[in-house]
Amino acid sequence: MKKFGKILSALTLLLVLAPLSAKPKFRSVEQIKKSGTIKIAVFSDKKPFGYVDEYGKYQGYDVYFGNRIAKDLGVKVKYVPVEAAARVEVLQTGKVDLVLANFTVTPERAEKVDFALPYMKCALGVVSNEKTDYITNVEQLKGKTLIISKGTTAETYFTENYPEVNLLKFDQYSEAYNALLDGRGVGLSTDNTEVLAWAIENPGFAVGIDSLGSLDTIAPAVTKGNASLLNWINDEIKALAGEKFFHADYEATLRAVYGQNSDADALVVEGGKVE
């Protein structure tokens, strides 16, 4: 029995010390450079911000930024598709170095990841069918079904503020939009920048509510405690302001979607400074 007790004590000690000796699941800038590749999580189905085109290549506003990050680091980029609800997890498990997936900054998320300076701003919007269920006021949604994606600010906002709205939740944005097309909900809510772009490409649908909730910012995110990469990204965002990089990004990826008369300043943030 004494021998068993000693073994049990030793195992208990190992279990106690294991978390203290565990290595953090992130890579510093030097480690990324040494590996020759940075791993960035982006959406694969959220056009025009992150999506895979007909040739199998990642495109969009976030991807344009990701390509520049890799170039300035002097490494190749590996894009990892991510669902909205898994953006925190892929960082915590070390599957990626950086998340650039329309990641809205919230206090709750900031407890789990480290956000860099913002590069976009947005609010929530609601898109609906103009002929059958055109939603122009949030009160119209009470008792009805609203489509959202899991792990988004839309899910949080409606859960906390409008519990009487029935939420139909999907893992992927493509599934959510297909549900709207099929009439499984009276509307769909996500970032206003995204629903406005989708409505332009889908005749018969319109954004009746174009600004809901507070004005939020979208920023890159790194694993909690990865000061090396966080500082590098912040310095990069500041440096890119000198060439108005994100306005160039808008022109390359969003202008054709929003139209020639659209206002880039309504979305773009330069140098991490929200105006």
Side-chain angles (χ1 to χ4, degrees), residues 46-51 57-67 249 252-254:
K46 194 174 183 181
K47 190 176 182 179
F49 299 100
Y51 65 99
K57 293 185 177 181
Y58 282 92
Q59 304 285 358
Y61 186 84
D62 290 339
V63 175
Y64 189 99
F65 183 28
N67 290 341
D249 189 349
T253 62
L254 303 182

Side-chain angles (χ1 to χ4, degrees), residues 81-198:
V82 68
E83 295 172 356
R87 288 174 292 190
V88 170
E89 179 190 350
V90 292
L91 284 172
Q92 292 179 332
T93 56
K95 293 180 181 178
V96 299
D97 303 301
L98 179 69
V99 170
L100 291 179
N102 255 198
F103 212 178
T104 304
V105 179
T106 68
E108 295 77 17
R109 290 170 176 171
E111 293 178 358
K112 301 175 182 178
V113 303
D114 283 335
F115 284 105
L117 294 170
Y119 62 99
M120 288 174 60
K121 53 190 174 184
C122 68
L124 291 175
V126 177
V127 60
S128 56
N129 190 307
E130 287 183 289
K131 295 181 180 179
T132 59
D133 296 289
Y134 190 40
I135 303 299
T136 57
N137 188 298
V138 71
E139 297 298 319
Q140 296 173 259
L141 293 169
K142 291 183 178 181
K144 297 181 180 179
T145 298
L146 177 69
I147 300 165
I148 55 94
S149 290
K150 297 177 183 177
T152 60
T153 49
E155 179 182 19
T156 302
Y157 178 80
F158 281 97
T159 299
E160 293 180 352
N161 298 287
Y162 295 95
E164 60 272 44
V165 176
N166 302 316
L167 300 180
L168 179 57
K169 306 176 184 182
F170 292 92
D171 290 318
Q172 298 183 346
Y173 280 97
S174 55
E175 294 175 333
Y177 280 115
N178 284 336
L180 180 61
L181 290 170
D182 293 341
R184 282 179 274 169
V186 296
L188 180 149
S189 181
T190 188
D191 293 347
N192 57 0
T193 52
E194 209 278 328
V195 290
L196 286 165
W198 188 86

Side-chain angles (χ1 to χ4, degrees), residues 230-256:
L230 180 67
N231 292 336
W232 190 95
I233 294 294
N234 281 337
D235 289 341
E236 176 80 343
I237 289 174
K238 292 175 184 177
L240 291 175
E243 60 187 75
K244 299 198 75 173
F245 172 82
F246 291 106
H247 279 79
D249 189 349
Y250 185 97
E251 296 300 327
T253 62
L254 303 182
R255 176 66 70 188

